[in-house]
Every structure is written in C-alpha cells, then in structure tokens.
Amino acid sequence: MIWFDILCHPVWAVSTALLAFVVRLQRRGSWDPQACTVQLKGKTAVVTGANTGIGKFIALDFARRGARVILACRSEARGTAALKEIREKTGNSDVHLRLVDLSSLDSVREFAKGFLEEEKALHILVNNAGVSGLPRQITKDGLDASFATNHLGPFLLTSLLLDLMKRSAPSRIVTVSSVNHRKGEVDFSHFHGENLSYFMDKIYNNTKLHNVICTNELARRLQGTGVTANSVHPGIVMTEVMRHYPLIVRCLFNFIGFFFFKSPEEGAVSPIYCAVAEETEGITGKYFDCDCSLVLPAPLARDTALAVKDFEICERLTSKL
C-alpha cells in the first residue's frame, strides 16, 4: 500500500524526526502570554475554529484579558462545550458563540451580516480555522472544499468585517498559516478543484501559501487605516487537523508528537503574540514564526505582482454576483 511505503521510507522517517527535534527546540525562548499584562477590557475579538485546539486557547487567553470574545464555530455542540469551558475557567461571561461554516460563502455572509447588526466594534480577528487531508469535495459555490475553508471563506469574512475594524482602529487581523506554505504552489485553477493532487498535505500547503500572499497584500491596502494584518506559523501542533488522514498516518503523527510536538496551548502562543503584544503594535504585512520571531516567508509570498493578482481573483470569487 502506498501509505505504508511512505511511512516506512527512511527519508520520510529521518526528515520527520529532524523536524520534530527542531520544533522541540523552538519551544524554548518563546514569548510568555502569562507574563504579558495587556488587558482587553472593552475590546471585541473574533476567533474562528475556537471550539478546539489552538483556537480554543486563543479565545481562552482573550477572555482572561477581559475581552468580549466571539467563538466562530461550525459545530453548535462543540462550540457550546467550548463556550461553557471558557466562561468557567475565566469567569468572563462576555463570551459568545456564533455559528459559521467557512466552506460556505453564504454561511460566511450570514455570519457577517448578523455580527455587523449586533456588534459595535471589532478589534481583533483571528482567522484560525482550517482543515487538512480532505478528499476531493466541490462546494455549492464551485470551490474546492479545502480552499474554501482555509482561504476563501476567511478571505470573505475578513473583507466583510473590514469596515468595522477600520472604525474600531487600532485593530489587528491575525491569520494562522503554516511553515508548510513554503512547499505550496500557486495555480488559480486550484480554487475550483482543478489540477490538484490530494496526496498527503499538498492542498493544505497551497492554501497556507495563499493565506500569506493575501495577508501581505491586505496589509498593503490597509496602510494608514490603523488596521494591521499579519500571518503566523503556530508550530507543529498536536491538534485535530489530521483527523481526515488515514489511521496509520494519524497514529504515527500522534506517537512522534507526544514526545516532540507542541500542545494546542503552546501552539496558541505565537497567534496571541501577534494579536495582543505591545511589541507587535503597528507591525503589518509580516510573517511570524512559531517562536514569535519575524522571518521572511517563501519567495512566492514576497512577490508583490502575484499578491495583487491573487487578491483580485479572490475578490472576484467571493463577490456575490
């Protein structure tokens, strides 16, 4: 079987072990959220995918700082459970659940419409939700489900909430990308599920590259508005993002991860740093590594002409004709 061959291949095993070792080293020296005294009372934050993993710990941190926190989740049951847990742990009752399916542009529009009708401000938007390893699925919008969930849905959500964020400035947009964007490719036919390879994490890598490209272009367009936009790699984290992979892949990932990879709480550190730290105030159009350091993204993510084209295509794909 092809999966068995991959997992037993010595090159794959060695590279995985080395990567795990690097990630373990990167746990050291990171910024400590608990040592940060920044308070968010009077601020409103939205975190997508906040019912589990990294997103839940980001929302938990914001709630501890006194923010009004909106958990933007697809599952009502899991979102409600996270809501209860966050309220109990923080004593902050101003935490709320709003449902959204990022793979559906109509659902994103409905979420944004309700949010704009009910909320007076938005100071922090964390685009955290994501999937990996999905089989081929085309949404009713004619989009590949992975691209819709990881990139085009968050792109539309950000666009719809942007005017409110400008009125609430200073405000911050944080997009959770991945170091895997460096392995990504840009082919605009991918958005419609064409010319795609559904092997391992290839689609995920492509979506994460588009995250960084469009975040950089968004930052350029937002210059002078008081709204910043940055992308961040949270590290290799033990989350549920692997749930769509074959069992043998998940088992090996979890086995290695138990010893070397970050916990969801540790993975939340770099996104929280981008969202609240005084040191990141005013920084925009940058890519942060999992140790909270500023690093250069992949060369494709620094191509300004490509960024303009990518952004304009995403605008067309998410516009309601």
Side-chain angles (χ1 to χ4, degrees):
M1 292 177 62
I2 189 168
W3 290 110
F4 181 80
D5 292 340
I6 292 167
L7 294 174
C8 292
H9 197 287
V11 174
W12 189 92
V14 170
S15 63
T16 300
L18 287 173
L19 184 59
F21 178 70
V22 170
V23 171
R24 188 179 187 184
L25 289 178
Q26 286 179 324
R27 287 185 180 183
R28 303 174 185 173
S30 291
W31 175 79
D32 182 4
Q34 295 182 3
C36 175
T37 59
V38 171
Q39 293 298 304
L40 298 176
K41 191 170 181 61
K43 306 290 186 181
T44 300
V46 170
V47 183
T48 66
N51 60 279
T52 189
I54 294 172
K56 185 170 74 172
F57 282 101
I58 294 172
L60 186 69
D61 179 272
F62 293 170
R64 281 181 175 145
R65 297 178 192 277
R68 175 177 173 82
V69 185
I70 309 300
L71 313 181
C73 306
R74 184 176 60 178
S75 167
E76 183 171 9
R78 300 182 75 184
T80 300
L83 174 70
K84 181 180 179 182
E85 180 183 345
I86 292 171
R87 283 181 174 179
E88 288 178 351
K89 286 186 174 180
T90 65
N92 184 346
S93 61
D94 202 8
V95 181
H96 308 275
L97 172 67
R98 286 196 175 91
L99 300 180
V100 61
D101 179 356
L102 290 169
S103 71
S104 165
L105 299 185
D106 282 345
S107 177
V108 173
R109 292 187 186 101
E110 184 179 352
F111 173 92
K113 181 176 182 292
F115 186 89
L116 294 173
E117 288 174 350
E118 298 174 17
E119 301 295 334
K120 297 179 180 179
L122 178 57
H123 304 92
I124 301 172
L125 170 62
V126 180
N127 291 311
N128 161 76
V131 295
S132 182
L134 278 181
R136 177 179 170 80
Q137 297 177 30
I138 302 299
T139 70
K140 70 174 185 177
D141 301 299
L143 304 170
D144 173 81
S146 295
F147 270 92
T149 303
N150 290 2
H151 182 61
L152 291 166
F155 180 94
L156 176 60
L157 178 64
T158 302
S159 300
L160 294 174
L161 299 180
L162 209 50
D163 284 344
L164 180 59
M165 296 197 77
K166 290 176 182 177
R167 295 196 299 270
S168 308
S171 51
R172 306 187 191 189
I173 299 166
V174 178
T175 296
V176 178
S177 181
S178 169
V179 68
N180 278 24
H181 84 275
R182 299 183 185 280
K183 299 188 291 181
E185 302 171 349
V186 174
D187 180 338
F188 297 117
S189 69
H190 289 170
F191 291 147
H192 297 290
E194 300 169 5
N195 303 313
L196 274 173
S197 168
Y198 288 82
F199 179 72
M200 294 291 281
D201 57 358
K202 284 194 172 182
I203 297 177
Y204 176 81
N205 300 343
N206 296 342
T207 64
K208 295 292 111 178
L209 175 58
H210 283 282
N211 285 167
V212 181
I213 291 173
C214 285
T215 299
N216 290 348
E217 174 60 15
L218 175 63
R220 187 188 69 80
R221 297 182 180 212
L222 289 172
Q223 288 286 350
T225 65
V227 183
T228 61
N230 295 292
S231 50
V232 60
H233 169 49
I236 301 179
V237 184
M238 292 286 291
T239 69
E240 297 180 11
V241 74
M242 299 284 290
R243 62 185 176 275
H244 299 291
Y245 284 75
L247 178 62
I248 190 169
V249 176
R250 298 199 309 271
C251 289
L252 184 58
F253 179 87
N254 290 335
F255 176 75
I256 296 174
F258 179 80
F259 295 101
F260 297 111
F261 295 166
K262 287 187 174 186
S263 67
E265 185 172 10
E266 291 171 324
V269 170
S270 50
I272 294 169
Y273 176 72
C274 292
V276 308
E278 292 177 337
E279 304 95 294
T280 55
E281 184 176 353
I283 294 177
T284 191
K286 303 299 182 184
Y287 173 75
F288 289 81
D289 206 350
C290 60
D291 61 352
C292 301
S293 64
L294 277 171
V295 296
L296 284 175
L300 280 175
R302 308 197 300 270
D303 185 329
T304 54
L306 176 62
V308 171
K309 183 177 181 180
D310 196 349
F311 200 94
E312 290 177 349
I313 289 174
C314 291
E315 282 184 318
R316 290 199 297 271
L317 286 174
T318 56
S319 64
K320 195 167 187 178
L321 302 178

